[in-house]
Amino acid sequence: QVQLVESGGGLVQAGASLRLSCATSGGMFTSYTMGWFRQSPGKEREFVGACTWNGGTSYADSVKGRFTVSRDNAKTTVYLHMNSLKPEDTAVYYCAAKWHWVSGPYTYWGQGTQVTVSS
């Protein structure tokens, strides 16, 4: 059973930085594409960024240049480094995983961690 556990969320002021972690277990981490998503109240879940099994990254336009996704294969952990946070970044952040050959939806999801950015 694959498990993903996010941590690192919290309450910060606008302009601050925060690093989220997603520890995985029970699967083949090096074969996964790892993604980060977020959901605000009343809004649909949206893609934030992803890191492929071989280190390629992609980002939503809203976070490009501010957020960075990285992974540590030895620790089977993926990170979301968030800089210059804005109040509109407030959301529950989820990490997700799928086999790298899957082009469709992510298969495994964490429980989420709350990030609140005050103005």
Side-chain angles (χ1 to χ4, degrees):
Q1 183 75 8
V2 178
Q3 292 188 323
L4 286 69
V5 180
E6 302 98 333
S7 61
L11 171 63
V12 297
Q13 291 189 328
S17 298
L18 206 58
R19 188 186 76 167
L20 305 183
S21 301
C22 174
T24 71
S25 62
M28 295 182 66
F29 182 79
T30 54
S31 296
Y32 292 150
T33 291
M34 300 298 299
W36 285 96
F37 294 78
R38 67 187 182 186
Q39 187 168 21
S40 305
K43 295 185 178 180
E44 293 187 354
R45 185 171 58 195
E46 64 175 355
F47 171 77
V48 174
C51 184
T52 64
W53 66 281
N54 58 353
T57 55
S58 59
Y59 300 95
D61 288 342
S62 59
V63 306
K64 202 171 293 184
R66 299 188 299 123
F67 290 11
T68 303
V69 181
S70 65
R71 64 192 295 159
D72 185 333
N73 287 340
K75 296 182 178 180
T76 64
T77 298
V78 64
Y79 303 97
L80 180 64
H81 307 264
M82 304 184 292
N83 297 319
S84 302
L85 282 162
K86 305 175 181 180
E88 51 263 43
D89 294 319
T90 295
V92 177
Y93 283 72
Y94 299 91
C95 73
K98 62 179 177 178
W99 293 100
H100 69 82
W101 60 80
V102 173
S103 59
Y106 283 74
T107 307
Y108 308 106
W109 292 84
Q111 82 290 348
T113 186
Q114 176 71 46
V115 172
T116 303
V117 184
S118 63
S119 57

